[in-house]
Amino acid sequence: MHITMIGGGYVGLVSGACLAAFGARVIVIENDPIRLDRLKAGNIPLYEPGLDELIAEQRQAERLAFSDDLASALQKSRAVFIAVGTPTRRGSGHADLSYVHAAARAIAAHAPDGLLIVTKSTVPVGTGRQVAAIVRQARPDLTFHIASNPEFLREGHAIADFMQPDRVIIGLEGDPTAPSSTARTLLETLYAPLNQPESRLLFMGLESAELTKYAANAFLAMKVTFANEMADLCEATGGQIADVTRGMGMDPRISPHFLMPGPGYGGSCFPKDTQALATSARQAGTPMQLIETTIAANEARKRRLAERILALAGNDITHCTIAVLGLTFKAHTDDMRQAPSLTILPLLHEAGATLRVYDPQGMDTASPLLPDGILYADSPLHAAEGADILLVLTEWPVFAALTPTQLAPRMRGRLILDYRQIWQGHNWQKAGFHYHCLGCGTHRDSGS
Ligand code: UGA
């Protein structure tokens, strides 16, 4: 089956390459000429493990191509996926739908009869119907089908998430249970490799599919925020968050996932999607207080951690060198969007600290976003040279492998702030370091 994917960004590239691997013939439409040239040259403009190889393999097999010619691509296609960005609109929590609407207009201009139009971008409830209305208005005589197929890819694990999903959510117009609907049949064919041993496709109405995406991300953001607040309480009372979350997580109704405390959630999804959901809910007259509070608590956390570091350094860090390991919002990505480092580091820099930072993938993206004067190291050990404090902000595996024996001769001070719980504290304490981790209370006298 021929399909068109509009958008050569993260979602478009991963989905396009994976659908090609499932057997479809995919043309990814990219309008930015520089990005398009890079893609055609095999120079993939983002870091996602395995993506370069998968794209090269699928291009070689002639199942994947890049183009800016939407009209020709659509003529051959049974389905078109909209995978363009939906950033937060400046000054409001609304998702900016201008790229989605522009894609709908462009599709309307060239769509062949019978085309299936699928929104893959994360879009607020009601957007699928807006897309349908745009196409209907421009081409009243056109027969087409509309579907919502939100993605649940995690950066750093996107290919596995696409190839072995927990579920594929598909929202359809009309009766989503009607087995004969054209949209349903086309999507079942496209995702056929996922139907073994049993179907992971979950059909529902358009609105439900759009809401499911936001509900899942907002719930996970809330869960992480709960773990962060619980970690603060553990610190204040002598509890150990790792024990508490293990104890909670063994209850299958809770599950152990997304309970790891950290410096606050970031990335291109949780911050944007919680905002958009809160805005949709307010607009619908059913405000969601849990999500509103989650957003505020997460923002406050990043600032509070900077204040805590200042306090640990005696409120004067003007002569203090801080080695920072990790800048990206999580490991296995070069993505700096809404990374906690973007709030924490400027506050420490402003307070007068010397910051020497290292990240395996994020430094090029990070440097224009961080204040001038921050020093960029070429390895974790280089970052630690002469440092008084070592602060871990991202859980890159390369940092977990560092030992007290490696760091002790390089650092001037002995304070380790492990804000991703990558190390065993007692190893550092034995070597004479002061080791702080999130949610590790100091009055521990039992437990295993
Ligand atoms: C998230 C969702 O997990 C995906 O299912 C979804 O498809 C995606 O958003 C999206 O909407 O496109 P992602 O943004 O890649 O994926 O990142 P996550 O792995 O979910 O992490 C989000 C944030 O929560 C990160 O800042 C991470 O460090 C933080 N986190 C996560 C914690 O602090 N603790 C945890 O236990 C888990």
PDB file of all heavy atoms in Angstrom, residues 43-64:
ATOM      1  N   ASN A  43      21.389  12.080   5.983  1.00  0.00           N
ATOM      2  CA  ASN A  43      21.890  12.728   7.188  1.00  0.00           C
ATOM      3  C   ASN A  43      20.678  13.048   8.075  1.00  0.00           C
ATOM      4  O   ASN A  43      20.042  14.087   7.927  1.00  0.00           O
ATOM      5  CB  ASN A  43      22.631  13.990   6.722  1.00  0.00           C
ATOM      6  CG  ASN A  43      23.240  14.749   7.851  1.00  0.00           C
ATOM      7  OD1 ASN A  43      23.113  14.350   9.014  1.00  0.00           O
ATOM      8  ND2 ASN A  43      23.884  15.854   7.528  1.00  0.00           N
ATOM      9  N   ILE A  44      20.357  12.139   8.978  1.00  0.00           N
ATOM     10  CA  ILE A  44      19.098  12.255   9.748  1.00  0.00           C
ATOM     11  C   ILE A  44      19.253  13.329  10.831  1.00  0.00           C
ATOM     12  O   ILE A  44      20.148  13.249  11.665  1.00  0.00           O
ATOM     13  CB  ILE A  44      18.715  10.899  10.384  1.00  0.00           C
ATOM     14  CG1 ILE A  44      18.685   9.798   9.307  1.00  0.00           C
ATOM     15  CG2 ILE A  44      17.373  10.973  11.110  1.00  0.00           C
ATOM     16  CD1 ILE A  44      17.859  10.093   8.092  1.00  0.00           C
ATOM     17  N   PRO A  45      18.382  14.353  10.792  1.00  0.00           N
ATOM     18  CA  PRO A  45      18.620  15.535  11.641  1.00  0.00           C
ATOM     19  C   PRO A  45      18.202  15.370  13.103  1.00  0.00           C
ATOM     20  O   PRO A  45      17.932  16.348  13.763  1.00  0.00           O
ATOM     21  CB  PRO A  45      17.789  16.628  10.954  1.00  0.00           C
ATOM     22  CG  PRO A  45      16.747  15.905  10.198  1.00  0.00           C
ATOM     23  CD  PRO A  45      17.247  14.537   9.884  1.00  0.00           C
ATOM     24  N   LEU A  46      18.126  14.180  13.627  1.00  0.00           N
ATOM     25  CA  LEU A  46      17.851  14.004  15.057  1.00  0.00           C
ATOM     26  C   LEU A  46      18.470  12.698  15.505  1.00  0.00           C
ATOM     27  O   LEU A  46      18.752  11.814  14.688  1.00  0.00           O
ATOM     28  CB  LEU A  46      16.345  14.021  15.332  1.00  0.00           C
ATOM     29  CG  LEU A  46      15.451  13.081  14.534  1.00  0.00           C
ATOM     30  CD1 LEU A  46      15.253  11.767  15.262  1.00  0.00           C
ATOM     31  CD2 LEU A  46      14.106  13.747  14.319  1.00  0.00           C
ATOM     32  N   TYR A  47      18.676  12.594  16.816  1.00  0.00           N
ATOM     33  CA  TYR A  47      19.293  11.388  17.349  1.00  0.00           C
ATOM     34  C   TYR A  47      18.229  10.473  17.926  1.00  0.00           C
ATOM     35  O   TYR A  47      17.521  10.863  18.849  1.00  0.00           O
ATOM     36  CB  TYR A  47      20.312  11.763  18.440  1.00  0.00           C
ATOM     37  CG  TYR A  47      20.856  10.553  19.162  1.00  0.00           C
ATOM     38  CD1 TYR A  47      21.771   9.720  18.539  1.00  0.00           C
ATOM     39  CD2 TYR A  47      20.432  10.229  20.445  1.00  0.00           C
ATOM     40  CE1 TYR A  47      22.262   8.590  19.189  1.00  0.00           C
ATOM     41  CE2 TYR A  47      20.920   9.099  21.103  1.00  0.00           C
ATOM     42  CZ  TYR A  47      21.827   8.288  20.464  1.00  0.00           C
ATOM     43  OH  TYR A  47      22.299   7.169  21.095  1.00  0.00           O
ATOM     44  N   GLU A  48      18.075   9.322  17.331  1.00  0.00           N
ATOM     45  CA  GLU A  48      17.175   8.299  17.881  1.00  0.00           C
ATOM     46  C   GLU A  48      17.820   6.950  17.591  1.00  0.00           C
ATOM     47  O   GLU A  48      18.062   6.621  16.419  1.00  0.00           O
ATOM     48  CB  GLU A  48      15.793   8.396  17.220  1.00  0.00           C
ATOM     49  CG  GLU A  48      14.794   7.324  17.652  1.00  0.00           C
ATOM     50  CD  GLU A  48      14.445   7.373  19.145  1.00  0.00           C
ATOM     51  OE1 GLU A  48      14.370   8.473  19.712  1.00  0.00           O
ATOM     52  OE2 GLU A  48      14.271   6.286  19.735  1.00  0.00           O
ATOM     53  N   PRO A  49      18.146   6.178  18.633  1.00  0.00           N
ATOM     54  CA  PRO A  49      18.860   4.928  18.396  1.00  0.00           C
ATOM     55  C   PRO A  49      18.177   4.044  17.340  1.00  0.00           C
ATOM     56  O   PRO A  49      16.978   3.785  17.419  1.00  0.00           O
ATOM     57  CB  PRO A  49      18.842   4.246  19.774  1.00  0.00           C
ATOM     58  CG  PRO A  49      18.700   5.383  20.744  1.00  0.00           C
ATOM     59  CD  PRO A  49      17.877   6.420  20.059  1.00  0.00           C
ATOM     60  N   GLY A  50      18.949   3.626  16.346  1.00  0.00           N
ATOM     61  CA  GLY A  50      18.461   2.692  15.316  1.00  0.00           C
ATOM     62  C   GLY A  50      17.756   3.336  14.145  1.00  0.00           C
ATOM     63  O   GLY A  50      17.493   2.685  13.131  1.00  0.00           O
ATOM     64  N   LEU A  51      17.437   4.647  14.253  1.00  0.00           N
ATOM     65  CA  LEU A  51      16.638   5.269  13.190  1.00  0.00           C
ATOM     66  C   LEU A  51      17.437   5.428  11.896  1.00  0.00           C
ATOM     67  O   LEU A  51      16.915   5.148  10.811  1.00  0.00           O
ATOM     68  CB  LEU A  51      16.089   6.622  13.672  1.00  0.00           C
ATOM     69  CG  LEU A  51      15.138   7.321  12.706  1.00  0.00           C
ATOM     70  CD1 LEU A  51      13.901   6.472  12.414  1.00  0.00           C
ATOM     71  CD2 LEU A  51      14.700   8.682  13.247  1.00  0.00           C
ATOM     72  N   ASP A  52      18.675   5.873  11.984  1.00  0.00           N
ATOM     73  CA  ASP A  52      19.497   6.046  10.771  1.00  0.00           C
ATOM     74  C   ASP A  52      19.528   4.745   9.964  1.00  0.00           C
ATOM     75  O   ASP A  52      19.297   4.735   8.754  1.00  0.00           O
ATOM     76  CB  ASP A  52      20.963   6.352  11.134  1.00  0.00           C
ATOM     77  CG  ASP A  52      21.119   7.705  11.760  1.00  0.00           C
ATOM     78  OD1 ASP A  52      20.131   8.191  12.323  1.00  0.00           O
ATOM     79  OD2 ASP A  52      22.235   8.255  11.700  1.00  0.00           O
ATOM     80  N   GLU A  53      19.797   3.654  10.694  1.00  0.00           N
ATOM     81  CA  GLU A  53      19.938   2.352  10.030  1.00  0.00           C
ATOM     82  C   GLU A  53      18.607   1.929   9.396  1.00  0.00           C
ATOM     83  O   GLU A  53      18.578   1.461   8.261  1.00  0.00           O
ATOM     84  CB  GLU A  53      20.370   1.270  11.028  1.00  0.00           C
ATOM     85  CG  GLU A  53      21.754   1.468  11.624  1.00  0.00           C
ATOM     86  CD  GLU A  53      21.781   2.417  12.837  1.00  0.00           C
ATOM     87  OE1 GLU A  53      20.795   3.168  13.039  1.00  0.00           O
ATOM     88  OE2 GLU A  53      22.772   2.424  13.571  1.00  0.00           O
ATOM     89  N   LEU A  54      17.517   2.109  10.148  1.00  0.00           N
ATOM     90  CA  LEU A  54      16.209   1.684   9.632  1.00  0.00           C
ATOM     91  C   LEU A  54      15.841   2.485   8.378  1.00  0.00           C
ATOM     92  O   LEU A  54      15.362   1.931   7.380  1.00  0.00           O
ATOM     93  CB  LEU A  54      15.124   1.862  10.711  1.00  0.00           C
ATOM     94  CG  LEU A  54      13.758   1.310  10.338  1.00  0.00           C
ATOM     95  CD1 LEU A  54      13.790  -0.213  10.205  1.00  0.00           C
ATOM     96  CD2 LEU A  54      12.703   1.693  11.378  1.00  0.00           C
ATOM     97  N   ILE A  55      16.102   3.790   8.417  1.00  0.00           N
ATOM     98  CA  ILE A  55      15.779   4.625   7.255  1.00  0.00           C
ATOM     99  C   ILE A  55      16.623   4.184   6.055  1.00  0.00           C
ATOM    100  O   ILE A  55      16.099   4.004   4.942  1.00  0.00           O
ATOM    101  CB  ILE A  55      15.988   6.118   7.593  1.00  0.00           C
ATOM    102  CG1 ILE A  55      14.877   6.589   8.546  1.00  0.00           C
ATOM    103  CG2 ILE A  55      16.014   6.977   6.328  1.00  0.00           C
ATOM    104  CD1 ILE A  55      14.990   8.030   9.000  1.00  0.00           C
ATOM    105  N   ALA A  56      17.917   3.972   6.281  1.00  0.00           N
ATOM    106  CA  ALA A  56      18.800   3.565   5.177  1.00  0.00           C
ATOM    107  C   ALA A  56      18.321   2.241   4.573  1.00  0.00           C
ATOM    108  O   ALA A  56      18.224   2.098   3.343  1.00  0.00           O
ATOM    109  CB  ALA A  56      20.232   3.433   5.691  1.00  0.00           C
ATOM    110  N   GLU A  57      17.950   1.313   5.456  1.00  0.00           N
ATOM    111  CA  GLU A  57      17.495  -0.015   5.006  1.00  0.00           C
ATOM    112  C   GLU A  57      16.219   0.100   4.164  1.00  0.00           C
ATOM    113  O   GLU A  57      16.114  -0.500   3.096  1.00  0.00           O
ATOM    114  CB  GLU A  57      17.164  -0.766   6.293  1.00  0.00           C
ATOM    115  CG  GLU A  57      17.298  -2.243   6.323  1.00  0.00           C
ATOM    116  CD  GLU A  57      16.997  -2.655   7.782  1.00  0.00           C
ATOM    117  OE1 GLU A  57      17.931  -2.583   8.614  1.00  0.00           O
ATOM    118  OE2 GLU A  57      15.829  -3.006   8.078  1.00  0.00           O
ATOM    119  N   GLN A  58      15.276   0.917   4.631  1.00  0.00           N
ATOM    120  CA  GLN A  58      13.997   1.035   3.927  1.00  0.00           C
ATOM    121  C   GLN A  58      14.131   1.812   2.623  1.00  0.00           C
ATOM    122  O   GLN A  58      13.420   1.545   1.662  1.00  0.00           O
ATOM    123  CB  GLN A  58      12.926   1.670   4.848  1.00  0.00           C
ATOM    124  CG  GLN A  58      12.575   0.821   6.060  1.00  0.00           C
ATOM    125  CD  GLN A  58      12.225  -0.617   5.678  1.00  0.00           C
ATOM    126  OE1 GLN A  58      11.503  -0.870   4.714  1.00  0.00           O
ATOM    127  NE2 GLN A  58      12.768  -1.582   6.416  1.00  0.00           N
ATOM    128  N   ARG A  59      15.073   2.765   2.595  1.00  0.00           N
ATOM    129  CA  ARG A  59      15.308   3.479   1.330  1.00  0.00           C
ATOM    130  C   ARG A  59      15.933   2.533   0.313  1.00  0.00           C
ATOM    131  O   ARG A  59      15.566   2.515  -0.852  1.00  0.00           O
ATOM    132  CB  ARG A  59      16.220   4.682   1.564  1.00  0.00           C
ATOM    133  CG  ARG A  59      15.530   5.762   2.366  1.00  0.00           C
ATOM    134  CD  ARG A  59      16.432   6.936   2.524  1.00  0.00           C
ATOM    135  NE  ARG A  59      16.509   7.746   1.327  1.00  0.00           N
ATOM    136  CZ  ARG A  59      17.399   8.702   1.131  1.00  0.00           C
ATOM    137  NH1 ARG A  59      18.323   8.940   2.037  1.00  0.00           N
ATOM    138  NH2 ARG A  59      17.391   9.413   0.024  1.00  0.00           N
ATOM    139  N   GLN A  60      16.874   1.745   0.797  1.00  0.00           N
ATOM    140  CA  GLN A  60      17.544   0.750  -0.044  1.00  0.00           C
ATOM    141  C   GLN A  60      16.518  -0.213  -0.650  1.00  0.00           C
ATOM    142  O   GLN A  60      16.588  -0.571  -1.823  1.00  0.00           O
ATOM    143  CB  GLN A  60      18.527  -0.022   0.839  1.00  0.00           C
ATOM    144  CG  GLN A  60      19.266  -1.147   0.182  1.00  0.00           C
ATOM    145  CD  GLN A  60      20.613  -0.647  -0.313  1.00  0.00           C
ATOM    146  OE1 GLN A  60      21.209   0.211   0.304  1.00  0.00           O
ATOM    147  NE2 GLN A  60      21.056  -1.173  -1.433  1.00  0.00           N
ATOM    148  N   ALA A  61      15.535  -0.598   0.153  1.00  0.00           N
ATOM    149  CA  ALA A  61      14.490  -1.523  -0.314  1.00  0.00           C
ATOM    150  C   ALA A  61      13.421  -0.790  -1.141  1.00  0.00           C
ATOM    151  O   ALA A  61      12.416  -1.398  -1.542  1.00  0.00           O
ATOM    152  CB  ALA A  61      13.847  -2.201   0.886  1.00  0.00           C
ATOM    153  N   GLU A  62      13.629   0.511  -1.346  1.00  0.00           N
ATOM    154  CA  GLU A  62      12.720   1.361  -2.128  1.00  0.00           C
ATOM    155  C   GLU A  62      11.299   1.383  -1.553  1.00  0.00           C
ATOM    156  O   GLU A  62      10.324   1.486  -2.274  1.00  0.00           O
ATOM    157  CB  GLU A  62      12.713   0.933  -3.596  1.00  0.00           C
ATOM    158  CG  GLU A  62      14.093   1.109  -4.194  1.00  0.00           C
ATOM    159  CD  GLU A  62      14.137   0.932  -5.693  1.00  0.00           C
ATOM    160  OE1 GLU A  62      13.097   0.572  -6.265  1.00  0.00           O
ATOM    161  OE2 GLU A  62      15.210   1.180  -6.256  1.00  0.00           O
ATOM    162  N   ARG A  63      11.223   1.281  -0.229  1.00  0.00           N
ATOM    163  CA  ARG A  63       9.901   1.430   0.406  1.00  0.00           C
ATOM    164  C   ARG A  63       9.752   2.790   1.075  1.00  0.00           C
ATOM    165  O   ARG A  63       8.686   3.127   1.551  1.00  0.00           O
ATOM    166  CB  ARG A  63       9.702   0.316   1.449  1.00  0.00           C
ATOM    167  CG  ARG A  63       9.350  -1.022   0.842  1.00  0.00           C
ATOM    168  CD  ARG A  63       8.851  -1.975   1.898  1.00  0.00           C
ATOM    169  NE  ARG A  63       9.896  -2.313   2.824  1.00  0.00           N
ATOM    170  CZ  ARG A  63      10.636  -3.417   2.754  1.00  0.00           C
ATOM    171  NH1 ARG A  63      10.419  -4.291   1.795  1.00  0.00           N
ATOM    172  NH2 ARG A  63      11.580  -3.655   3.628  1.00  0.00           N
ATOM    173  N   LEU A  64      10.835   3.558   1.124  1.00  0.00           N
ATOM    174  CA  LEU A  64      10.789   4.856   1.814  1.00  0.00           C
ATOM    175  C   LEU A  64      11.507   5.898   0.968  1.00  0.00           C
ATOM    176  O   LEU A  64      12.616   5.646   0.478  1.00  0.00           O
ATOM    177  CB  LEU A  64      11.488   4.726   3.175  1.00  0.00           C
ATOM    178  CG  LEU A  64      11.544   5.968   4.052  1.00  0.00           C
ATOM    179  CD1 LEU A  64      10.146   6.379   4.514  1.00  0.00           C
ATOM    180  CD2 LEU A  64      12.423   5.721   5.288  1.00  0.00           C
TER     181      LEU A  64
END
